[in-house]
Amino acid sequence: MLPFTVCPVGDTGLLASFEQRIAQSVGAAVAALNTRVAAAAIPGVVETVPAFASLLIFYDPLVTEYDAVAAAVQKLAQAPGSDTAAEEGRLVEIPVCYGGTFGPDLPFVAEHAGLTEKEVMELHAGREYRIYMLGFLPGFPYLGGLDERLFTPRLASPRTAIPAGSVGIGGEQTGIYPIASPGGWQLIGRTPLKLFDPSAGRLPYAAGDRIRFCPITQDEFDAIAQKEGTV
């Protein structure tokens, strides 16, 4: 596992910080440490929050203390064993209808990359993406691993309303808007899945998992949307 430092966050938290950069290796290390902490069930630890290059660990100060949690986390990092499963995470497939009204910025992304719209779609759907962290909106996955040819600047003026399920590109990353919101990423498609559902009490993915986008037709989109209740 990559080296990291620990420091207190208030009187109920500990931050394990890796090298401060967005990279697959760093994201995998965060995911691996998060998995080990969860599996260890450290007394007093109540929640973990993975990010791009760090893991925030909350604990109950009536049950444990910072030094005990810090020592337990360092011991877990040094323990022998394979982190393969943790590094890979679950693979979640997300159906996406690219272009048209679902992806109004696909032509710009293609022009910026010097590619056809079809080539952009194939490149975007042709690889797996690591979920580095969830943030900005409930369930918004910040995904790493975008093909460099698809790096595209954000909109100069963000939209005030983006439909739920929209898939976009912002700089070096791609992501999904799980609920309707403002936003400045370039929209290239949309998924008919209902990703954020408070009544279900869960998301179909978590930080550390992987996502693969699966292209679908308009008819397939409509059929799934009808089933999901996202029409």
Side-chain angles (χ1 to χ4, degrees):
M1 183 176 294
L2 296 177
F4 61 87
T5 59
V6 297
C7 66
V9 179
D11 59 357
T12 62
L14 174 151
L15 186 68
S17 299
F18 292 83
E19 183 180 356
Q20 295 300 292
R21 62 190 180 93
I22 300 176
Q24 291 278 14
S25 59
V26 178
V30 172
L33 182 59
N34 187 43
T35 298
R36 288 192 177 197
V37 170
I42 301 171
V45 169
V46 295
E47 184 181 7
T48 60
V49 183
F52 286 114
S54 62
L55 179 67
L56 179 59
I57 302 171
F58 288 106
Y59 58 87
D60 184 345
L62 298 179
V63 176
T64 187
E65 59 182 6
Y66 171 81
D67 288 342
V69 177
V73 170
Q74 293 284 12
K75 185 176 181 180
L76 287 174
Q78 297 165 5
S82 173
D83 289 324
T84 301
E87 292 176 357
E88 290 183 353
R90 295 179 303 147
L91 177 60
V92 181
E93 295 187 342
I94 304 292
V96 176
C97 188
Y98 287 93
T101 58
F102 295 145
D105 300 319
L106 181 59
F108 175 79
V109 173
E111 181 181 4
H112 182 269
L115 302 168
T116 66
E117 293 182 23
K118 184 174 184 294
E119 288 172 330
V120 170
M121 293 163 51
E122 290 175 345
L123 285 174
H124 189 262
R127 58 175 56 192
E128 297 173 2
Y129 301 90
R130 159 96 50 195
I131 302 178
Y132 285 140
M133 62 176 287
L134 303 177
F136 169 55
L137 297 169
F140 186 103
Y142 285 88
L143 306 178
L146 183 67
D147 190 297
E148 292 184 3
R149 288 169 288 182
L150 300 184
F151 290 1
T152 313
R154 292 167 172 79
L155 297 175
S157 179
R159 291 182 172 90
T160 58
I162 290 177
S166 294
V167 176
I169 291 176
E172 301 179 9
Q173 292 184 277
T174 186
I176 315 168
Y177 289 83
I179 61 176
S181 75
W185 289 25
Q186 305 280 354
L187 306 183
I188 61 173
R190 192 185 308 169
T191 178
L193 298 182
K194 189 173 187 177
L195 300 177
F196 178 67
D197 183 3
S199 63
R202 60 181 177 81
L203 291 164
Y205 45 70
D209 287 342
R210 294 165 295 138
I211 281 181
R212 177 180 287 278
F213 295 107
C214 303
I216 58 174
T217 65
Q218 171 79 62
D219 289 342
E220 291 172 323
F221 181 99
D222 293 340
I224 297 173
Q226 186 70 37
K227 183 179 179 180
E228 292 278 311
T230 57
V231 178

